[in-house]
Amino acid sequence: MTDRVKIFDTTLRDGEQSPGCSMTREEKVRVARALAELSVDIIEAGFPAASPGDFESVAAVAREVRGAVVCALARCTRADIDAAWGAIREAERPRLHVFLATSAIHREHKLKMAREEIVRLAAEGVRYARSLCEDVEFSPEDASRTEPEFLTEVVQAAVDAGATTINVPDTVGYTTPQEFHETFTHLKRHVRGIESVTLSVHCHDDLGMAVANSLAAVRAGARQVECTINGIGERAGNCSMEEIVMALKVREGAFGATTGIRAERLYPTCRLVSTITGMPIPRNKAITGENAFAHESGIHQHGMLRHAETYEIMRPQDVGLSRSHLVLGKHSGRHAFRERVRELGFELDEGEFNVVFARFKALADCKKELFDGDIEALVLDVEGGSAGPWSLARLATTAVTGEPARAEVELVHGDGRRLKLAASGDGPVDAALKAIEQALGLPLRLRKFEVRSVSEGEDAQGEALVTVECEGRTYRGGSVSTNIVESGARAFLDVVNRIETARQSARRPQAAAG
Ligand code: KIV
Ligand code: ZN
């Protein structure tokens, strides 16, 4: 019989902790809606005690998302738990997630606490959380490096105190599939009452084994997997949702378990998160990378033509990659365009559709043929853009061989302010970025500038992704245009808008918790 594994998405909490992946409140709500559409069981929306901005984002997700459980993280302290509960109490189905480190290294060096104190605090935290919320998850942080008998003792205390889910994290990505299988088997054998709670697994990818370790836990009885879209997360990231979901779907027989995820929505969701975070999906990424379904060698192509299953264990359309050779152009109407947008897995409301359609018409005027990549980029530019206060009203560049390039920019703020500045630089992109930087007077340091083509042909659109440092924080931004200097300038402005939003949310007073 096939069991159901719950998918607990922590893109908005653990994923967002990844350097440069921070999202604004509006972006988090957009991602949370996409996760609900994907049918994830639980959305971990953030860590409300961490900052006023986090509190507000979690509260916004809790108010707006329906269907999925909305979860907030807290340490085992009353103040944290009150803040978490204050943020999610309006959710249709709230969950409190409390955690406390248990390994010797964390006890000695981070917490400076003895074992007995850890057991007491874990039980008190869970009991207090249960007094507020019926659905309470407990995580012994760094469980995989905790002495098995002590892990059993802490988990027993959490179960006795009323935890409804016990999550076992491999916080530093250290365990192996066999070892983690034993950890889960040990807990199932030694914790009284464990059969009435959901066992959950949470893996990091430091040794590239997050998905394999999570699958081993599922084989040992875990019925909740914690994961993130595109595997984003602390350091090397978390278990990737698209990979674990497809492993459980394609190899259902091997694991005896599957998920309730609408797999055909995986690719659009991964693209949305990639655009919002400015973290490109690597070309060779399993499931969603550009090469995941590409067959280059003659032998493979021959086999594929005879029978697709010779070299394909799943079809691109199973994960929402419904690529077609249907090309749209300036004579394509609203209906054809809307159909294509839907086939690519995007749901737009009427207002968004009108904006994207107007941009499609403008692009079709200067580009003969529009491919799926172009349409996807247009939709994501509207859905995933920072929609911040600054926009580019005019950009003019000149570049003559052997001479510094020059750029003139005109920026408009939502409140009507206009700024004009000219600068020279090492090439037109550099000149344009310098002009924007000087016009706004921000201490920006450009760390990375990447351009890739989103479709085919000489007139293909270029997607620019920039990584910038400002006052000790890393920001990423992106934009698309047929003119790569313009997409670079717009990507830079995307970053500027993110910085402005982050500054505004830091200035906002702390929302009342509890
Ligand atoms: O990696 C970890 O231990 C965590 C816990 C807070 C669950 O993210
Ligand atoms: Zn984690």
Side-chain angles (χ1 to χ4, degrees), residues 156-445:
Q156 183 69 66
V159 170
D160 291 345
T164 45
T165 298
I166 293 292
N167 177 47
V168 185
D170 180 26
T171 305
V172 290
Y174 179 75
T175 198
T176 65
Q178 190 176 350
E179 201 175 88
F180 226 27
H181 190 281
E182 283 161 18
T183 305
F184 278 79
T185 308
H186 180 89
L187 289 174
K188 278 181 72 178
R189 196 167 294 149
H190 293 99
V191 176
R192 286 180 317 280
I194 195 99
E195 61 292 342
S196 43
V197 307
T198 302
L199 262 181
S200 166
V201 58
H202 176 114
C203 293
H204 282 264
D205 207 29
D206 299 65
L207 293 173
M209 293 195 283
V211 174
N213 289 335
S214 304
L215 289 170
V218 168
R219 284 198 90 155
R223 287 296 173 262
Q224 174 177 293
V225 175
E226 304 203 349
C227 49
T228 60
I229 294 288
N230 298 333
I232 61 171
E234 283 278 12
R235 307 178 309 279
N238 288 55
C239 171
S240 131
M241 174 177 332
E242 54 282 14
E243 294 178 22
I244 190 102
V245 164
M246 289 316 287
L248 288 171
K249 191 174 161 93
V250 174
R251 302 303 313 274
E252 191 177 324
F255 296 101
T258 194
T259 72
I261 293 293
R262 291 173 64 200
E264 72 285 358
R265 297 209 53 83
L266 282 170
Y267 180 72
T269 312
C270 291
R271 279 290 281 143
L272 177 69
V273 170
S274 160
T275 307
I276 284 180
T277 56
M279 282 262 270
I281 299 173
R283 224 187 159 87
N284 64 339
K285 168 84 174 57
I287 316 294
T288 50
E290 223 171 298
N291 287 359
F293 295 94
H295 300 271
E296 187 76 23
S297 105
I299 296 175
H300 287 208
Q301 286 175 352
H302 181 70
M304 283 288 295
L305 288 173
R306 289 270 167 101
H307 195 310
E309 282 176 30
T310 46
Y311 286 102
E312 211 164 69
I313 58 165
M314 56 198 153
R315 298 169 311 161
Q317 55 269 41
D318 296 341
V319 298
L321 254 159
S322 64
R323 289 268 174 264
S324 83
H325 296 295
L326 190 70
V327 177
L328 297 182
K330 66 176 174 186
H331 299 299
S332 307
R334 277 177 83 86
H335 184 69
F337 184 68
R338 197 192 291 272
E339 274 308 297
R340 201 72 214 108
V341 167
R342 278 213 190 107
E343 279 162 19
L344 288 170
F346 298 105
E347 296 289 341
L348 299 179
D349 62 31
E350 206 47 31
E352 287 170 335
F353 178 79
N354 289 338
V355 177
V356 177
F357 187 65
R359 292 221 196 152
F360 161 74
K361 282 288 177 186
L363 183 61
D365 266 342
C366 53
K367 191 174 183 303
K368 280 197 296 285
E369 298 173 316
L370 273 86
F371 298 90
D372 285 344
D374 292 307
I375 297 166
E376 198 177 271
L378 283 177
V379 174
L380 289 167
D381 213 28
V382 171
E383 269 208 314
S386 57
W390 289 104
S391 58
L392 184 68
R394 184 173 171 273
L395 169 70
T397 53
T398 44
V400 179
T401 320
E403 290 176 21
R406 259 187 82 70
E408 286 169 31
V409 294
E410 188 175 341
L411 308 178
V412 199
H413 193 278
D415 63 11
R417 265 179 294 156
R418 276 184 181 263
L419 293 175
K420 276 187 196 177
L421 218 117
S424 46
D426 193 6
V429 173
D430 186 42
L433 302 196
K434 284 208 171 97
I436 294 175
E437 189 178 352
Q438 287 164 22
L440 296 170
L442 284 170
L444 305 177
R445 180 169 290 189

Side-chain angles (χ1 to χ4, degrees), residues 13-14 73 97 99 139 141-142 167 169-171 202 204 226:
R13 201 277 296 169
D14 224 340
L73 184 70
H97 178 188
F99 75 100
S139 290
E141 191 190 2
D142 206 14
N167 177 47
D170 180 26
T171 305
H202 176 114
H204 282 264
E226 304 203 349

Side-chain angles (χ1 to χ4, degrees), residues 481-496:
S481 165
T482 44
N483 173 342
I484 59 160
V485 181
E486 188 182 315
S487 54
R490 287 190 193 280
F492 203 60
L493 263 189
D494 190 26
V495 165
V496 166

